[in-house]
Amino acid sequence: MGAAMRRIHVGNALSAFGLGFTVPYLYVYVAQVRGLGAMTAGLVLAVFAVAALIVLPFAGRAIVRRGPLPVLFVALVTAALGALSLGLASNAPSVLLSAAALGAGQAVMQPALATMIVDCSSADTRSRAFATQFFLQNLGLGVGGLIGGHLVDPTSASSFTVLFTIEAAVFLLLVVVMSTVRTPRSPRIEDAPGRPGSARGSWKQLLGNRAMVQLCALGFVLFFACYGQFESGLSAYGVEAAGISTSALGTALAANTAMIVVAQFAVLKFVERRRRSRVIAAVGLIWAVAWVVAGYAGLGHGSREMATAAFVSTYALFGLGEAMLSPTVAPLVADLAPAGMAGQYNSAFALVKQLALAVGPAVGGPMGASLHAPYIVTFLLFSLGITYLAVRLGRGLTAAQDQPWAARSRVVAQGGPAPAGHTQAHA
């Protein structure tokens, strides 16, 4: 990696650290420490999702016009102000406004950093770059949550004020780190001949890209059926149907992170030279097996030890699938983006992710808690749907998009440049 990419990865790790540092403790902070009740705490978590849905469409346009670095700076300062004010807030309006600023800033960081990775990588290095990003994000979330959990004291509001102040300082430190990054100048939308200059035109162009629309639909199902269930439906199902203890639930979440950390780069060597659509299809099958194992944990009437082992295995299987997706989906979004449009495409896909993460818990939580068998069957079918959608997407991708390594190998073997039909512009 070059110096710019190393700093970008430091940025990914620090942003994830800041997220893991405070978000797991927001509910306790608002409902109990500040005494604002469960309703306000639930609204705070909802505000995070709503703020992201509002700002992401504008973020994509801003990244395209101004570049990812200025947009990232604005997002970091906004998040820092939100974190600092949240640590000092004592009433519902100030808590909600602070949460909106923090949520909006954190939402914009993701597509800005992803676009910087695109700008500083090539087709040869992009999969590894995004795999490293995912690895560091999970590491940052885990370390942040671990340290934050040891710093907070539910009986002391000042401990949470210190927590949010540290988070704000991390975001401001990230401003300093990222100000040293010198990325190659990527094309802007004004530089691309024939590109529509209006926001409506750029969104119309994106929606006219059939492969991108199919990938967004696939992405919604991916995030809805997996990430949207981790801390809602699947955990509720584990406690209510399988009788999993809270400590075992924590072990399951740790198994998920451990699988990602251990398997990420071993999996990378396997997926780099395979068709991206087939890798995503395989993830659907792996997750289908995970839901079958979860069904055994809650519906198999085995011993408590067997149920716990099966439930932990479910989270580990999800982690294996996530490790396969990280070097596959994000580079595919980048390869589908025309010149100068990577920021728009990254923001659109981040918007889809936020929608899935908002809908997933709302649907999965009540089902996992009370409708145990229908819950397992529903998400087993969703996982098989991932496989179907991935295979269908693969039929509409070029060789350079679906299997870039093979496409480059054919070009070398022929001793000439890539065919025009296989050339894909990158932002």
Side-chain angles (χ1 to χ4, degrees):
M1 294 184 297
M5 186 65 80
R6 285 195 295 271
R7 290 181 175 88
I8 293 169
H9 284 321
V10 169
N12 277 302
L14 286 176
S15 64
F17 176 87
L19 183 64
F21 200 57
T22 57
V23 170
Y25 314 107
L26 273 177
Y27 184 90
V28 173
Y29 172 68
V30 176
Q32 299 177 11
V33 177
R34 291 300 183 185
L36 299 176
M39 181 65 72
T40 303
L43 287 174
V44 165
L45 297 177
V47 161
F48 263 81
V50 172
L53 296 177
I54 291 174
V55 300
L56 280 171
F58 301 99
R61 183 67 181 174
I63 292 171
V64 167
R65 284 198 170 276
R66 303 297 181 187
L69 202 53
V71 175
L72 179 62
F73 289 155
V74 172
L76 289 168
V77 172
T78 302
L81 292 174
L84 189 60
S85 59
L86 192 57
L88 301 172
S90 58
N91 55 64
S94 60
V95 164
L96 292 174
L97 287 174
S98 301
L102 180 58
Q106 288 179 333
V108 176
M109 291 179 203
Q110 179 183 353
L113 286 166
T115 304
M116 292 177 71
I117 289 177
V118 174
D119 290 345
C120 293
S121 63
S122 65
D124 292 329
T125 62
R126 194 158 293 143
S127 291
R128 186 165 293 273
F130 277 105
T132 304
Q133 177 201 35
F134 187 69
F135 171 84
L136 291 174
Q137 282 177 341
N138 278 276
L139 195 60
L141 283 170
V143 173
L146 181 65
I147 296 177
H150 283 84
L151 289 179
V152 296
D153 179 2
T155 64
S156 172
S158 61
S159 69
F160 283 87
T161 301
V162 171
L163 194 74
F164 285 107
T165 302
I166 294 174
E167 181 182 32
V170 168
F171 290 137
L172 294 178
L173 172 63
L174 188 49
V175 171
V176 176
V177 172
M178 300 310 291
S179 66
T180 66
V181 175
R182 297 293 178 266
T183 62
R185 183 183 182 276
S186 61
R188 301 286 170 251
I189 195 168
E190 293 86 350
D191 301 331
R195 297 291 178 210
S198 67
R200 180 182 299 178
S202 61
W203 277 103
K204 182 178 179 181
Q205 184 202 34
L206 187 151
L207 294 174
N209 187 329
R210 183 177 178 182
M212 184 60 188
V213 172
Q214 288 181 321
L215 181 58
C216 286
L218 173 58
F220 181 88
V221 179
L222 281 168
F223 291 112
F224 175 79
C226 175
Y227 299 89
Q229 303 307 312
F230 273 1
E231 297 175 2
S232 58
L234 191 55
S235 58
Y237 168 84
V239 172
E240 298 294 338
I244 302 299
S245 65
T246 54
S247 60
L249 181 59
T251 301
L253 290 168
N256 175 263
T257 302
M259 175 62 79
I260 293 170
V261 171
V262 171
Q264 182 62 84
F265 293 103
V267 166
L268 177 62
K269 294 180 181 180
F270 174 78
V271 303
E272 270 185 321
R273 300 196 174 192
R274 282 163 178 81
R275 294 179 61 179
R276 289 167 170 169
S277 59
R278 298 293 174 84
V279 171
I280 301 172
V283 170
L285 296 178
I286 291 172
W287 285 356
V289 173
W291 285 109
V292 170
V293 175
Y296 169 78
L299 309 173
H301 306 293
S303 66
R304 175 69 61 85
E305 291 75 15
M306 291 296 294
T308 300
F311 196 71
V312 171
S313 299
T314 298
Y315 274 81
L317 286 170
F318 275 120
L320 177 60
E322 292 174 74
M324 294 172 65
L325 288 176
S326 61
T328 306
V329 174
L332 181 54
V333 173
D335 287 350
L336 289 174
M341 294 287 287
Q344 186 89 36
Y345 276 56
N346 283 323
S347 295
F349 197 76
L351 180 62
V352 169
K353 177 181 178 180
Q354 288 296 329
L355 281 170
L357 293 180
V359 175
V363 174
M367 287 187 69
S370 56
L371 302 173
H372 303 150
Y375 176 70
I376 293 297
V377 172
T378 298
F379 285 92
L380 171 62
L381 293 176
F382 268 111
S383 297
L384 296 176
I386 291 171
T387 300
Y388 169 76
L389 291 174
V391 172
R392 185 179 178 186
L393 171 66
R395 295 172 185 158
L397 298 177
T398 66
Q401 293 164 346
D402 197 22
Q403 201 174 8
W405 173 83
R408 291 191 298 273
S409 295
R410 285 194 291 271
V411 170
V412 172
Q414 293 167 1
H422 289 167
T423 301
Q424 180 67 28
H426 303 292

